[in-house]
Amino acid sequence: MRLSIWTVLLFLGSAQFASGQSSGTAKVVSENPIAPDPAASSYTVLGAAPGQEALVRAQIRAMRPDVYPVRVLFVPHWNYIDTARTFRLHVPAGYTSAMFTHLPSRSVFIDGDRYVSDDSLGYWLAHELGHLTANSASENDADKAAREYRKRLKVAGKADVH
């Protein structure tokens, strides 16, 4: 059990420090005077198909959460179950879990095999971001914070339609 916990923590910790090689010279990509919000792009999306990653990033950008995740991980169902067990995830009676947040590492885990639709992804992602904002494992606290995020997501969706 301890080995699997340390393995997961090592995996999560190494993603922050991994980087590619660079020549040491910086190149200006854009002359845009308005810098993007660094928190909005500072998280990593792992294990997602390109379309899923784009969707997650667009939804998080629309929600503008108070606290951003460090990483969002799409994992196969077997890995999701194992990780949930390792982190001792408690699912209230009558609930199922297609995603969960590990607060200490600010990681959102998504069961890639139970990914249903784009709308449900945004709905439940707002809930997980609510856990981060409230810094609480409480479902009620997360739902309170998620209400505002869902409103923002809905407004952004209507703006895209028009």
Side-chain angles (χ1 to χ4, degrees):
M1 179 66 135
R2 284 188 177 172
L3 177 62
S4 57
I5 290 172
W6 283 109
T7 303
V8 170
L9 291 177
L10 178 65
F11 169 72
L12 294 175
S14 66
Q16 283 183 322
F17 300 109
S19 63
Q21 294 180 347
S22 66
S23 64
T25 59
K27 193 166 49 170
V28 176
V29 176
S30 172
E31 295 295 332
N32 187 352
I34 301 173
D37 180 9
S41 62
S42 65
Y43 58 91
T44 305
V45 179
L46 301 169
Q52 290 173 323
E53 180 176 351
L55 178 64
V56 165
R57 289 186 181 281
Q59 289 177 336
I60 291 175
R61 187 172 34 256
M63 288 187 259
R64 299 182 320 276
D66 297 333
V67 178
Y68 284 85
V70 170
R71 65 191 61 79
V72 177
L73 298 104
F74 282 77
V75 295
H77 184 68
W78 68 268
N79 195 341
Y80 180 86
I81 297 297
D82 190 48
T83 305
R85 189 177 315 129
T86 301
F87 289 137
R88 298 184 180 158
L89 176 66
H90 170 71
V91 179
Y95 282 82
T96 60
S97 172
M99 59 180 75
F100 73 91
T101 299
H102 182 246
L103 290 172
S105 67
R106 288 182 28 211
S107 299
V108 177
F109 291 85
I110 299 173
D111 186 340
D113 296 338
R114 295 185 63 203
Y115 169 77
V116 179
S117 70
D118 296 351
D119 292 334
S120 69
L121 180 66
Y123 183 86
W124 291 112
L125 188 56
H127 175 84
E128 298 309 320
L129 294 174
H131 280 295
L132 292 173
T133 298
N135 194 27
S136 171
S138 166
E139 300 302 322
N140 290 332
D141 294 345
D143 279 335
K144 286 178 188 175
R147 284 186 198 120
E148 181 61 30
Y149 299 152
R150 289 176 182 142
K151 286 179 190 175
R152 293 174 187 171
L153 190 58
K154 190 173 185 178
V155 168
K158 286 182 181 179
D160 290 341
V161 172
H162 293 103

